[in-house]
């Protein structure tokens, strides 16, 4: 697969992130691709469902697992072994672990997640940690990175009525300068 394919799939993930933003969610979107087609797509729904586990990746995984045509082998240990994830933000530690347990083939993401990243920014759940059962997977960032950063910034300058203690953001200005990616650890 060449970088044009990666950008095509990341564009689809960005559409889901825009849907999340429009719904007042942290704007993260994803698509799961198998055999050259999208088999599931989702966006964050944590505010809507009032459930902190309803990240885009887990929303899409639930759709995949619920559809027996996408997981035809009952009891298959790794239902995502031939599947690639495209997500706008590096999966958090929780999602990175779920992806490993389900045997994801590979992950491509937009920007790093410096607070909760599970593919190397905070903790390398995907491949830096040994696991006695689940194989590691490669995660590559930087696809539509600037777009992913800007949509997050657009969200974080708005008032979040769903926050436990909403803070006034009336004086915030959208920062448009983006620093180059930091070097890997």
């Amino acid at each position: 697969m060449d970088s044009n394919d990666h950008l095509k799939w990341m564009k689809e993930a960005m559409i889901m992130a825009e849907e999340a933003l429009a719904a007042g969610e942290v704007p993260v979107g994803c698509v799961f691709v198998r055999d050259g087609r999208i088999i599931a797509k989702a966006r964050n729904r944590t505010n809507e469902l009032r459930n902190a586990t309803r990240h885009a990746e887990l929303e899409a995984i639930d759709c995949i697992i619920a559809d027996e045509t996408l997981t035809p082998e009952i009891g298959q240990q790794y239902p995502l072994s031939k599947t690639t994830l495209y997500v706008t933000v590096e999966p958090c530690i929780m999602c990175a672990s779920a992806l490993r347990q389900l045997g994801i083939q590979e992950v491509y993401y937009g920007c790093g997640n410096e607070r909760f990243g599970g593919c190397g920014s905070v903790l390398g759940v995907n491949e830096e940690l040994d696991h006695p059962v689940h194989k590691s997977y490669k995660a590559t960032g930087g696809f539509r990175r600037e777009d992913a950063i800007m949509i997050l910034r657009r969200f974080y300058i708005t008032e979040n009525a769903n926050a436990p203690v909403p803070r006034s953001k009336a004086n915030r200005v959208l920062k448009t300068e983006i620093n180059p990616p930091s070097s890997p650890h």
Side-chain angles (χ1 to χ4, degrees):
M1 203 176 298
D2 67 18
S3 75
N4 286 335
D5 288 327
H6 297 312
L7 293 174
K8 174 179 88 171
W9 299 126
M10 193 59 74
K11 178 181 178 184
E12 295 296 323
M14 286 300 301
I15 291 169
M16 298 308 298
E18 288 286 351
E19 283 187 24
L21 181 65
E25 298 282 353
V26 175
V28 177
C30 71
V31 296
F32 283 79
V33 176
R34 185 184 299 153
D35 298 326
R37 68 179 185 92
I38 294 173
I39 62 166
K41 58 186 177 179
R43 61 170 177 83
N44 275 2
R45 295 179 65 206
T46 58
N47 291 336
E48 174 186 343
L49 299 175
R50 302 215 181 282
N51 181 335
T53 69
R54 298 295 64 203
H55 291 192
E57 300 94 325
L58 297 182
E59 285 285 303
I61 287 168
D62 284 352
C63 293
I64 293 168
I65 291 177
D67 185 338
E68 63 187 36
T69 66
L70 298 176
T71 53
E73 297 174 32
I74 295 174
Q76 180 183 2
Q77 184 175 6
Y78 296 117
L80 300 179
S81 64
K82 296 177 181 165
T83 308
T84 301
L85 168 64
Y86 292 87
V87 60
T88 57
V89 178
E90 174 188 1
C92 72
I93 294 168
M94 172 183 69
C95 292
S97 178
L99 292 164
R100 187 165 181 174
Q101 292 173 52
L102 294 168
I104 193 76
Q105 183 175 346
E106 197 165 7
V107 172
Y108 294 92
Y109 60 89
C111 64
N113 182 342
E114 300 300 323
R115 293 183 69 197
F116 308 110
C119 294
S121 289
V122 174
L123 187 63
V125 174
N126 63 311
E127 61 185 357
E128 291 172 11
L129 298 177
D130 288 331
H131 194 282
V133 177
H134 306 300
K135 66 183 182 70
S136 64
Y137 62 90
K138 184 178 178 190
T140 307
F143 292 90
R144 297 198 61 179
R145 177 180 172 270
E146 292 80 10
D147 294 336
I149 290 170
M150 287 308 299
I151 195 170
L152 288 169
R153 287 181 181 173
R154 286 172 40 213
F155 173 78
Y156 284 114
I157 66 163
T158 63
E159 305 289 331
N160 182 359
N162 294 308
V165 181
R167 288 185 253 163
S168 174
K169 298 181 181 178
N171 297 326
R172 292 215 176 159
V173 175
L174 180 63
K175 181 180 156 191
T176 57
E177 180 181 318
I178 297 176
N179 295 327
S182 56
S183 59
H185 332 303

